[in-house]
Structure formats: C-alpha cells, structure tokens
Amino acid sequence: MQTQSLEYVAEKKMFYKKMLVIAIPVVIQHLISIGLNLVDTLMIGLVGETALAAVGAANQVYFIFSNMCYGLYSGAAIYTAQYFGVGDIKSIRKILGMDYAVGLFMASMFTICGFFLAPQLIAVFDDSPEVVELGVKYLRIACFSYLFTALSFSINYNSRAIQDLKVPTIINGAALAVNTCLNYLLIYGHLGLPKLGVTGAAAATLTARILECAGLFLYVYTRKSHTFKTGPAELFSFSKKEFFTVMKTAVPVVVTEGGWAFSMSAIFSIYGKLGTSALAVTQVANTVSEFLQSIYFGIGNAAAVLIGNALGADQKDRAYFQAGVAVRLTWMLNGIMAVVLILIRGPVSAIYQFNPQTTALLCDTLLVWAIALAPKMLAYMLVCGVLRAGGDTVFCMVMDFSFNVGIQVTMAAVAVLVFHLSLPWAMLMVAFGDVLKVIWCYRRYYSRKWMRVMT
C-alpha cells in the first residue's frame, strides 16, 4: 500500500512538472494571442463607450473565426500529439499541411464576409448608426488579418503538441508589443502621426499579425532540424483517406467551437438589446475574463498534450490518472480566480472613463463573473483538456450544441427579452447552463468511454 502511495505521489509530481513546462508558454501564448485584439478593446475604451461597443461588435467576427480555428487545429493536434508520442514525424508534417489548407480556406471565407458584409454584421450586435459606422471602419481593415492568423495559429497549435514553445512564444510576444506601440501611435495620433481612432487600431492589428506570421515561418523554415521543416510535396502528400480520417475527428471540434462562438455572439447580441452601455460593459468583462482564463487554457492545453501522448503510447491508466489531476487542479484554481476577480473589479472599473451608472454596472457584472467562472472553467477542462484529448469529439459536439445553443442562448433571450432583467442577472441565468454541462461531462469522464488510441 505504501509503495502504491509513493508511486502515486511520484507520478503526480512528474505530471505537474511536465504540465508546467507546457502550460506556462501556452498561457503566455494565449495572453498574446487574445492580446492582439484585446489591446484594441482596452485602448479604444479610453476613446469612449461608442467606439468600444463598435470594436467589440466587430471583434465578434474574429471571435467566431478564431474559435473555429481553435477547433480545427486542436482537433487535428490530437493526432499530432499521439504521433509525437510514437515518433512519427512524417505524419506530423501531413497534419500541418492539412491545417494550412483548411485554415486558409476558412480565413478566406471570413475575410470576404467581413469586408463585404461589414454593415450587416455590426448591426446584428448594435444597430445604432454611430456604432455601425465605426465598426465597419475597423472590420474592413482588420478582416485581412485573418489570413495571417490562420497560418500563425496552425504553427502555434502544432508546436504545442510537440512541446516546442519557447521561440513561438517570443515571436507572439514581439507581435503583441508591435500592436500595442502602433495602437498608441495610431489611435491617439502621437509622434506626429494622424489620430485615426478605430481605423488606427485595425491597422495596428493587421500589421502585427503579418509580422507574427512572417516571424513564425522564418523560425520553422530556416532551421534545418525543425520537425515541421519540409517542402510542399511532403506537407500536402496526405491521401484522401488520411485527410478524412483526421477531419472526422477535427470537424466535430470545429462545429463545437463554431457553435460555442456563435452562441456567445448571439448572447452578446441579446445583451446589446439592453443598450450601448451594456454592450461596452460586456466587452470589458469579457476582456478581463479572457485574461484570467488564460491560466486555465494553459493547463487545459498541457493536459490535452500529455493525455494525448499517453494514449498514443497506449497507456490508458496513465491518461485517466492525468485527467483526474488536471480536473482537481481546476477546482483549486476556481477559488483563487474568484477572489482575484472580486478584488480587481474596482481598479478595473476605474480605468475606463464611463459615467457613474455604467461604472456601477461594470462592478456588478464582474462580481457575477467571479461566480460564473467556476462552472465555466470546469466544463472547459473536462471538454477540451480531457474528453477531446481522448478523441471523444462527437460526444463533445453533441453536448456543447445542446447546452450552448439550446440552453444558454435561450436563457439569455428569456432573461433579457421576456423578464427584462439587468445585465448581471441575465449573465447569472446563462451560467446555469455551464452547471448542467459539468454534471454531464463528469458522467462521461468516469465512464472512461472517451479514451481512444488513434495512432
């Protein structure tokens, strides 16, 4: 018994050590990734509520696109992680080729829609003329960044799966620095440059995305020993059968993430019915929440990689053990993050020059987020860190659609359009959907039906 206990402690320590090695760079990468667009939100927020609502509405298009990219790349990375576990480099390169091809196709579709349908897309969230006008100016420039984002994300997600994180993280950080500096110069018109407002924010984002993509490609394709370095002939040498095998796993994740992003955007649109102030407050609350959630995303990605590696080596007991450790760690983080969010809501509210009523609404909304964070992040860890890592993507797709689209969007609509509740109470009702999702996910986790070896 004592020997088993010592083995348990040793295995747990080893898991934590490996998790930190992967999780810390992933947290930084995620902060940088969301930062390239969220910096726009933060700095535009100082211009005024209308400009903030416009950029927030425009960034809902990017939000849906980036989540669909996450679905594609994280779904395909299930194979990358398992192939890495058995040392199959040729197959890893084929996965990257698939990511390039499908990712660029999706980016092209979103770019075309973002440019030509900008007024209609902005009006979905707020149809006031001022918001639509500013949102269109931002979106028609920023939408071209999606093409470069698709390529950058493909390298970033596959780099995580093979545990190559240091240099990509540095490149992501440099891109964020460029975006921040250009925002400062172009939004407010410093150093003799024109004061462009939302147009300057969009130009800064596009420039940063181009430089980030260029940096990642230089890193991968100028190193002789890099795992991904190969020519187009090998990258795109995958057969139709191989492509559809990977897509059979990845597409349900794309549908899941796309459905989730659509449901969140629909909820955002419903909150917009409460007025421009509610839309601006929601955007700020989402920004703060995204930064705090980065820690969870790092742990979730690390857990998915390690579980995938274990399953690739046909070590199901180890994979199940690692999943349990990751979920228990999430419970501990929930308590810490709730306290942090409560403590920072005052200082965060003071940053923005909102009127007293909007500032009070923001404080109350952040308090609700502190409560809603726990079920939301438990659901995330169980779905993205555990179940998907085992290849259980169809179950996750059905579950997410049932709760995100079926329950949470309905809850938001009933709260706002039927009961006419305030923003904080509406958000609390929506959070109930995550509680139900956690219960269902736990049942699936304990069943062990999610563990599949696909290599």
Side-chain angles (χ1 to χ4, degrees):
M1 182 69 74
Q2 186 175 4
T3 303
Q4 289 180 340
S5 179
L6 290 173
E7 289 177 354
Y8 171 84
V9 172
E11 177 73 18
K12 190 174 179 180
K13 284 184 178 179
M14 182 60 68
F15 177 71
Y16 279 138
K17 184 178 179 180
K18 289 181 178 180
M19 176 177 278
L20 284 174
V21 170
I22 301 171
I24 291 174
V26 171
V27 169
I28 297 170
Q29 278 189 348
H30 185 76
L31 284 170
I32 292 165
S33 177
I34 62 174
L36 284 171
N37 278 75
L38 293 183
V39 160
D40 294 350
T41 301
L42 289 167
M43 298 182 80
I44 282 292
L46 299 178
V47 176
E49 287 182 25
T50 302
L52 178 58
V55 173
N59 270 336
Q60 289 302 303
V61 180
Y62 172 78
F63 174 70
I64 295 173
F65 165 69
S66 63
N67 275 277
M68 290 184 69
C69 282
Y70 169 72
L72 170 67
Y73 300 142
S74 61
I78 295 169
Y79 286 88
T80 304
Q82 293 202 15
Y83 284 132
F84 187 69
V86 295
D88 188 348
I89 304 302
K90 186 175 181 180
S91 293
I92 289 174
R93 290 170 177 169
K94 290 181 181 180
I95 300 297
L96 182 62
M98 295 178 199
D99 284 349
Y100 284 161
V102 181
L104 279 175
F105 174 77
M106 288 199 312
S108 299
M109 295 299 100
F110 272 87
T111 300
I112 292 169
C113 290
F115 187 83
F116 290 105
L117 300 178
Q120 293 87 343
L121 292 171
I122 301 300
V124 169
F125 304 100
D126 192 325
D127 58 3
S128 63
E130 297 86 358
V131 171
V132 171
E133 181 184 358
L134 291 175
V136 168
K137 287 181 179 179
Y138 180 89
L139 184 56
R140 282 185 168 160
I141 296 172
C143 67
F144 290 100
S145 70
Y146 303 164
L147 298 166
F148 303 96
T149 299
L151 295 173
S152 298
F153 277 12
S154 63
I155 293 176
N156 282 332
Y157 279 93
N158 282 283
S159 294
R160 294 174 189 178
I162 66 168
Q163 302 176 37
D164 176 28
L165 295 158
K166 183 178 178 181
V167 176
T169 302
I170 293 171
I171 293 170
N172 298 150
L176 177 60
V178 168
N179 190 37
T180 304
C181 291
L182 288 177
N183 267 338
Y184 177 74
L185 296 174
L186 296 176
I187 293 175
Y188 309 121
H190 293 295
L191 298 181
L193 293 172
K195 186 177 180 181
L196 300 177
V198 297
T199 304
T205 295
L206 176 58
T207 303
R209 290 293 188 190
I210 293 172
L211 293 176
E212 178 187 40
C213 183
L216 288 169
F217 266 74
L218 284 172
Y219 167 64
V220 168
Y221 294 107
T222 58
R223 289 183 63 199
K224 292 182 180 180
S225 60
H226 199 283
T227 303
F228 299 154
K229 185 178 181 181
T230 187
E234 185 176 7
L235 268 177
F236 303 108
S237 65
F238 49 84
S239 66
K240 185 183 292 186
K241 181 180 179 182
E242 288 172 324
F243 178 80
F244 283 109
T245 297
V246 173
M247 288 301 116
K248 186 178 179 181
T249 301
V251 167
V253 185
V254 175
V255 174
T256 300
E257 292 300 324
W260 178 78
F262 169 79
S263 65
M264 293 302 103
S265 293
I267 291 169
F268 188 81
S269 175
I270 292 168
Y271 291 159
K273 305 301 180 185
L274 296 170
T276 299
S277 294
L279 207 59
V281 164
T282 303
Q283 185 63 24
V284 174
N286 286 344
T287 299
V288 175
S289 177
E290 282 271 14
F291 275 100
L292 291 181
Q293 289 172 25
S294 294
I295 296 176
Y296 294 94
F297 295 148
I299 294 172
N301 274 270
V305 169
L306 294 173
I307 290 169
N309 291 164
L311 289 173
D314 200 18
Q315 298 172 339
K316 290 187 176 181
D317 287 339
R318 170 170 287 182
Y320 187 78
F321 168 80
Q322 291 173 341
V325 175
V327 172
R328 287 190 291 274
L329 182 59
T330 305
W331 275 103
M332 290 189 290
L333 272 175
N334 284 337
I336 296 170
M337 290 303 170
V339 172
V340 169
L341 195 49
I342 290 170
L343 291 176
I344 68 171
R345 64 193 183 105
V348 166
S349 300
I351 293 174
Y352 297 91
Q353 299 172 3
F354 294 153
N355 60 54
Q357 292 82 3
T358 305
T359 300
L361 180 63
L362 177 56
C363 279
D364 292 342
T365 300
L366 290 174
L367 179 60
V368 169
W369 266 115
I371 299 169
L373 195 65
K376 182 181 179 68
M377 289 297 97
L378 273 172
Y380 163 77
M381 185 60 64
L382 285 162
V383 172
C384 301
V386 177
L387 303 182
R388 277 188 197 163
D392 199 18
T393 57
V394 174
F395 170 84
C396 293
M397 178 183 69
V398 173
M399 180 203 58
D400 268 344
F401 255 101
S402 300
F403 287 102
N404 296 338
V405 180
I407 295 179
Q408 292 191 308
V409 174
T410 303
M411 287 284 196
V414 169
V416 173
L417 304 177
V418 178
F419 294 127
H420 306 290
L421 298 178
S422 65
L423 180 62
W425 282 106
M427 286 184 167
L428 206 56
M429 281 187 65
V430 170
F432 181 68
D434 285 321
V435 175
L436 297 176
K437 189 192 296 186
V438 167
I439 295 170
W440 200 5
C441 286
Y442 258 114
R443 291 185 62 186
R444 187 69 171 182
Y445 161 67
Y446 286 127
S447 75
R448 298 195 179 211
K449 293 179 181 178
W450 54 274
M451 292 190 289
R452 301 171 187 177
V453 179
M454 296 177 290
T455 54

